[in-house]
Amino acid sequence: MDFTHFLGGEAVAADLPAANKKALFQSLAQLAERSMDLSAKDVLERLNERERLGTTGFGGGVAIPHGRIPELDRIRAAFVRLDKPIDYSAIDDMPVDLVFMLLSPADAGAEHLKALAQVSRRLRDRLFVAKLRGAGSPDALYALFASAETRDAA
């Protein structure tokens, strides 16, 4: 599985303003509605539902909010770099500025876990994360994910 299988260029945003986690989740839900033709209300509900189980901020300024959306036929994703870091209650108590949202069909058990592991591995790579923080546009951010899979395949 590669990033471009579930992350489309239309679902990438750079320098997104968000004052807090609530505003971030609302923006992510709206992005999913525009780019994936999903109900923003349903996406917001699923993200909040998952977050109540424990933080999806896994450290180093990165969060991977995720949820299951019954209407989906495959895993979908969005990536946003925030204009400034926000308090996210991450496991390391560091503010978050890089957010990779993963949405999966209700029955995508193992596939969902594999996708989460892949995203987590990539976003633990400090050099890759530094490149994401330095990218100038949504296209440049998307290109980093697309080129990361090419490198991994080699």
Side-chain angles (χ1 to χ4, degrees), residues 3 122 128-135 138-149:
F3 283 101
R122 174 57 56 214
F128 183 71
V129 166
K131 288 179 181 178
L132 290 173
R133 288 193 171 112
D139 287 344
L141 288 166
Y142 181 74
L144 285 168
F145 281 105
S147 66
E149 77 194 27

Side-chain angles (χ1 to χ4, degrees), residues 20-31:
N20 52 41
K21 193 191 293 191
K22 180 180 178 182
L24 168 64
F25 281 9
Q26 288 169 339
S27 292
L28 287 170
Q30 290 164 357
L31 180 60

Side-chain angles (χ1 to χ4, degrees), residues 51-152:
E51 202 67 20
R52 280 192 289 276
L53 300 174
T55 186
T56 55
F58 77 81
V62 177
I64 309 174
H66 52 280
R68 297 188 187 238
I69 309 285
E71 309 80 79
L72 280 177
D73 59 347
R74 64 185 175 91
I75 293 175
R76 302 290 302 268
F79 177 80
V80 299
R81 183 184 65 210
L82 300 177
D83 65 346
K84 61 182 189 287
I86 60 167
D87 176 33
Y88 197 94
S89 301
I91 59 170
D92 62 358
D93 290 323
M94 297 294 293
V96 162
D97 65 336
L98 300 176
V99 182
F100 196 104
M101 175 178 66
L102 200 60
L103 302 173
S104 299
D107 61 354
E111 192 180 7
H112 175 78
L113 293 176
K114 284 181 191 172
L116 269 175
Q118 178 187 1
V119 172
S120 174
R121 265 192 312 277
R122 174 57 56 214
L123 294 176
R124 287 186 197 281
D125 178 335
R126 290 175 193 225
L127 181 59
F128 183 71
V129 166
K131 288 179 181 178
L132 290 173
R133 288 193 171 112
S137 68
D139 287 344
L141 288 166
Y142 181 74
L144 285 168
F145 281 105
S147 66
E149 77 194 27
T150 304
R151 192 197 75 198
D152 288 348

